Amino acid sequence: MSISAKLSDSSNELVIQVAGRFDFSAHQDFRSAYEDLENTPQSYAVDMAQTTYLDSSALGMLLLLRDHAGGDDASIRLINCNDDVRKILVISNFGRLFTIQ
Amino acid sequence: MSAIEPMPVKCLRLISLLKPEQRDHHMQRALDLLQSEKCDISSISRERGVATTVDHVSCQDFAMLQSELQVLPDALPNLLLLSVALLGENVSAALAALREAFQERYIPIVIVGEESDAAQIGSAMESGANDFVMLPTDPKLIKSKLQAQLKVGSMHAIMSQQHREISNNHQHILREQQMAKEVFNKVAHDSAELANVRHWLSPIAVFNGDILLATPTPSGSLLVLMGDFTGHGLGAAIGTIPLASTFYGMASKGFAMYDIITELNSKLHALLPTGVFCCACVAQINFQDGVAEVWNAGLPDCYILRQNSELLEINSSALALGIMGSDAFAIESKRYNLEQGDRIYLLSDGLLETENTAGEQYGELRLQKALTSTTQNHVQAPAQSAAGLESIKQDVLEFIGEHCRADDISLVEIEMVSAEQFESFYDKTTKHKVQQPVSWSLQYEFRAESLRHQDPVPLVLHSLLEEPNLRQYSGQLFSIISELYNNALDHGLLQLSSSIKQQEQGFARYYDMRQRRLQELDSGNVRFELDYRATSDSGALTVEVIDSGPGFDYKAKQSADKGGDVLHGRGIALLRTICRKVEYQGSGNHVRVEYGW
């Protein structure tokens, strides 16, 4: 599991990349990817192109990010999800809370 | 975490048993070197273990060595340096005696000998000595050997200490889990063991965050909840307690599935931190009408398996419990007509994700295959009613093989039976004997402001069920109160005509109109008058419901029906079968029923 984050120059969007298993072991790294930023981004994207697996703690972490980003006003895209990851997001009906792409 | 760090070694203790010439001619120089280098044995523990002094005790014989070890049991040496020639005839017995004095502490033993001692040195190494020094040799080499052994000893001490910490923590967690389980069992103790509800649950399910709740409701239906909380351990278990107590509390008072789910969601939303939630599937099975209502929120597909092997998937249609507040929480359950013998299967993702030794997951396809093959077995051997769940269990265990543990699996099977059969599964015989005559009456009036938002049936029913002797009749009391109230509200206050239901799409239209008119209701009321009298061998409950509506010409309708119930609808017909007497009074806005035994 490795997590990296990058603020896009053009759109002020923070893109967090999660590679490998997205589970409880990612907790600390995932949080620090969006906390303690100098400037608050307008929107967020979690890039799961390299994510192999997603468990319910990871869903919990996405909810924490959503709270941090303003709750119902948050703009968060979950991008490049593979079929397995997408399936878990669909079962959980996370499409109501996030933009899944 | 600081408790896991080793204590700094301020003083290194070294005990030797050497022949005088060995000590003076060879070893002393090595020991001096060790002392002068400040015994840097602990680079592995980030300099914390650097000793400042070396305390060297030189013993003359084995007896002195032994008494030295006994004198200071709390300050055992960090290293023993032993001349093999002084260990006596039986080297291995001597070493065993020393090890016993150390108990669980690891103390490296370095054997000292000369070329003529080769055989003895060999047997000492086989008996558990850690290294040897063959004299004569360069003192620097001896020093390096001693240093290496001291490092191993120091590493071992750190590991033992960490091991103790971990094992203490583990004990602590086990005690906490035991405590949580006891609390949970008290909350969930009235979970009925019902013959048509079979389950396969890990004994540590509560700490997987998995939970199964099942209870008969006052109306005689069955309410089942399968839940899966985020995470593991106490964090996952903690939410099960409010979940179970709310579920059982509301179900026993006759609240509708919709109201229970809404309450569970807002309670968990209020209690649990963000990121902790409960995926759940709730099913209510009405055995009278042969209808199951199922709501899946975040669990994998649940299944209905018909006897002809038809398999229906019930997929998740909602966010898990506890994620969103009640405003944004929508409940869309699905309804299914079931025949006797049809089964419902609810499961958590542990079953699908359980792996075999090759790392493959059990998965949906295998489960679907196992499910459909149970009906085929069932037809061949209909006598084995538990064949369904058992054969799936067998299939899963065969798949994962002996070496894997199946401790994260939650699966429940609910079988459709007749209403009479279901009633026989749970104890309705806990009859309360009336010791003294009882007599009371009670009156409730619900006004428009309240009726718009609140269903008064649970409240009225709850008051009745506070009377111990009435609890055994809860199913019939529920029917009486809800039928009378619905008639008073629909036909009395909202002026809805049952004939709408007979049109095409009539039911949907009827309920749309009911919803709209109820929201617009700004005046009117429904009054309940309850009168209860009982002695030790008989009892009677009279329920009167009076609404503020215009009523209806019940006399004309009764004569037109010639005693039939066509125009009164199914509800009143049902009440006539349960109650001694059902009569309308006044302008038809006042109904009085008498229930007795």
Side-chain angles (χ1 to χ4, degrees), chain B residues 149-305:
Chain B
Q149 286 304 323
L150 284 165
K151 273 189 184 178
V152 173
S154 142
M155 193 150 55
H156 196 277
I158 293 168
M159 274 169 47
S160 308
Q161 196 173 350
Q162 288 177 340
H163 181 262
R164 271 198 303 280
E165 287 288 337
I166 290 169
S167 120
N168 285 345
N169 284 341
H170 185 64
Q171 288 299 323
H172 189 69
I173 289 168
L174 288 181
R175 276 201 302 277
E176 282 184 342
Q177 292 194 346
Q178 190 54 40
M179 195 175 72
K181 200 172 164 69
E182 274 172 35
V183 174
F184 176 76
N185 287 346
K186 281 185 185 138
V187 175
H189 75 283
D190 49 355
S191 163
E193 284 293 325
L194 299 158
N196 63 329
V197 181
R198 292 174 280 267
H199 56 76
W200 180 20
L201 282 182
S202 148
I204 58 155
V206 175
F207 303 101
N208 299 338
D210 282 2
I211 183 169
L212 170 65
L213 307 172
T215 184
T217 69
S219 63
S221 64
L222 168 69
L223 200 61
V224 179
L225 181 149
M226 161 82 78
D228 178 2
F229 279 90
T230 337
H232 279 74
L234 200 59
I238 201 119
T240 59
I241 290 163
L243 184 78
S245 65
T246 307
F247 177 88
Y248 286 121
M250 290 183 78
S252 69
K253 293 185 182 78
F255 280 95
M257 175 170 152
Y258 176 91
D259 295 328
I260 296 177
I261 293 173
T262 309
E263 180 63 22
L264 291 176
N265 181 60
S266 33
K267 187 150 264 180
L268 293 183
H269 182 66
L271 289 177
L272 299 178
T274 304
V276 181
F277 52 84
C278 180
C279 297
C281 188
V282 182
Q284 177 154 30
I285 298 100
N286 181 331
F287 299 97
Q288 200 75 50
D289 301 346
V291 172
E293 198 165 348
V294 188
W295 178 79
N296 184 351
L299 282 186
D301 286 356
C302 298
Y303 295 97
I304 285 178
L305 178 62

Side-chain angles (χ1 to χ4, degrees), chain B residues 27-41:
Chain B
M27 304 302 295
Q28 196 56 55
R29 174 74 187 129
L31 293 171
D32 289 346
L33 281 172
L34 197 61
Q35 169 105 49
S36 69
E37 286 183 19
K38 298 274 184 201
C39 318
D40 179 14
I41 56 161

Side-chain angles (χ1 to χ4, degrees), chain B residues 250 253-259 446-462 478 481-486 489-490 514 518 526 528:
Chain B
M250 290 183 78
K253 293 185 182 78
F255 280 95
M257 175 170 152
Y258 176 91
D259 295 328
F446 296 93
R447 308 194 181 99
E449 298 88 313
S450 172
L451 295 174
R452 278 203 301 271
H453 308 291
Q454 190 197 353
D455 177 3
V457 173
L459 179 66
V460 174
L461 193 67
H462 180 63
F478 175 81
I481 300 297
S482 73
E483 287 301 337
L484 293 182
Y485 170 68
N486 285 327
L489 181 71
D490 291 10
R514 183 184 199 268
L518 184 59
V526 177
F528 289 82

